[in-house]
Amino acid sequence: MNCSLITGPVFEFHDRPGHIECHDRLRAIIAQLPAGIPVSSPVAASEEDLLRVHQPGYLAWLHRQCALHTTNDMVDEYGCSAGYFTGNLYVPGFLDANTYVNPRSYEVATYAAGSAIAATERALNGGSCFALVRPPGHHAASGWAMGFCIINNTAIAAAKALGSVDRVAIVDWDLHHGNGTQEIFSGSDRVLYCSVHAEDLFPFTGAAIGTGTGAGRGYTVNAPLLPGSTIGDYAHVFSDLFLPVLERAHPDLLIVSAGQDALSDDPLSVMGLCPADYGTLAGLLLDTLDLPPAFVLEGGYGPSHPAAINAILRAVEGERSTGPVPAPSDATRARVRLFRKLHGIH
């Protein structure tokens, strides 16, 4: 199976130099991509696409926050009307302590969401695709922004796909729990959301007992892991929890919220993954499910992040590690036994 890419220069216009989620991270990935891989230009999501996931009032508010504050004589290219108070201090240009915007951010976010949609359409047509986009999205809920995310790219792509398929599965291997994606689909039995993430780390959500609500009960599968976890622990979660749940759900589409910030050299990481490990995780999905994945970039900020992206691309093309996967820790084995019982896997 071959993998194509979607990315382009539009993503540089959502930027804040010095911020960890700046365009340099995407520029580094693009500079180290293998030669010959097909790359398509980003496409924008429509307002109808955004409204399948986000509240109209939130989108209107967000659009206003990204409007240029033309009455400010000292504004520069990145000046904007957004800002928030912390105590008596007003912080301009941010929606919260982590999430910045500028006058182009809303527009750029629509291209991130639209490119995620395009990646899923390619996957439905039989070809794996990686949407190398930013800003990331999995912390953005239906009515609020947080954690560098303002629009939920993966959720928008999944919601659009539900117009033509019955069930969608989202696997989120970002270091952080995708609280926004969980919030959006918590009550749905048409979207299976599986997240492996660090326990007690931002955004401090993703407990295993959160399994969905109403009709969606059982369709949220959270696997919080202890800091210091390695590929042995992650692979055990996949093989003994995620893959059985995915096979039981019979999804028509697989989307991966691909955040590679569990790498050991990532400045946000508390985990011990190396770049090749993401190829291992991708390979487990590819070898078990007869579905070409659509990958959508989430986090990943360290120097080895481009190598992890390349490991995923090689896995899609059929490369597999010949070495054994390390055994999981006893703590992870115990957790996964509890997770399996919680989700009725015998």
Side-chain angles (χ1 to χ4, degrees), residues 196-287:
V196 57
H197 49 269
E199 186 174 61
D200 294 331
L201 199 67
F202 180 92
F204 307 102
T205 56
I209 58 172
T211 62
T213 59
R217 189 171 299 280
Y219 288 87
T220 297
V221 183
N222 285 318
L225 292 179
L226 292 170
S229 295
T230 69
I231 186 57
D233 303 294
Y234 276 75
H236 187 60
V237 166
F238 272 56
S239 62
D240 280 38
L241 179 64
F242 286 178
L243 294 178
V245 171
L246 286 162
E247 289 183 293
R248 184 174 65 188
H250 298 294
D252 304 297
L253 170 67
L254 173 63
I255 307 175
V256 179
S257 269
Q260 289 65 239
D261 42 358
L263 289 164
S264 60
D265 65 354
D266 194 284
L268 299 183
S269 183
V270 295
M271 298 302 198
L273 298 191
C274 70
D277 295 338
Y278 284 98
T280 298
L281 297 180
L284 287 169
L285 294 174
L286 288 157
D287 293 343

Side-chain angles (χ1 to χ4, degrees), residues 304-317:
S304 69
H305 187 204
I309 299 292
N310 288 343
I312 295 166
L313 299 178
R314 289 194 299 271
V316 173
E317 293 175 350

Side-chain angles (χ1 to χ4, degrees), residues 53-54 58 96 98-99 136-155 170 172-187 193-198 201-207 210 212 220-222 257 298:
V53 162
H54 293 291
Y58 169 66
D96 59 26
N98 301 307
T99 312
H138 73 153
H139 295 309
S142 58
W144 70 84
M146 68 181 295
F148 314 156
C149 306
I150 60 177
I151 287 176
N152 195 313
N153 309 316
T154 298
I170 300 171
D172 188 338
W173 65 42
D174 191 278
L175 173 71
H176 307 92
H177 177 243
N179 59 302
T181 309
Q182 176 172 315
E183 183 262 350
I184 289 164
F185 294 121
S186 180
Y193 177 64
C194 300
S195 176
V196 57
H197 49 269
L201 199 67
F202 180 92
F204 307 102
T205 56
T220 297
V221 183
N222 285 318
S257 269
E298 299 285 1

Side-chain angles (χ1 to χ4, degrees), residues 92-103:
F94 281 76
L95 302 177
D96 59 26
N98 301 307
T99 312
Y100 69 85
V101 291
N102 64 44

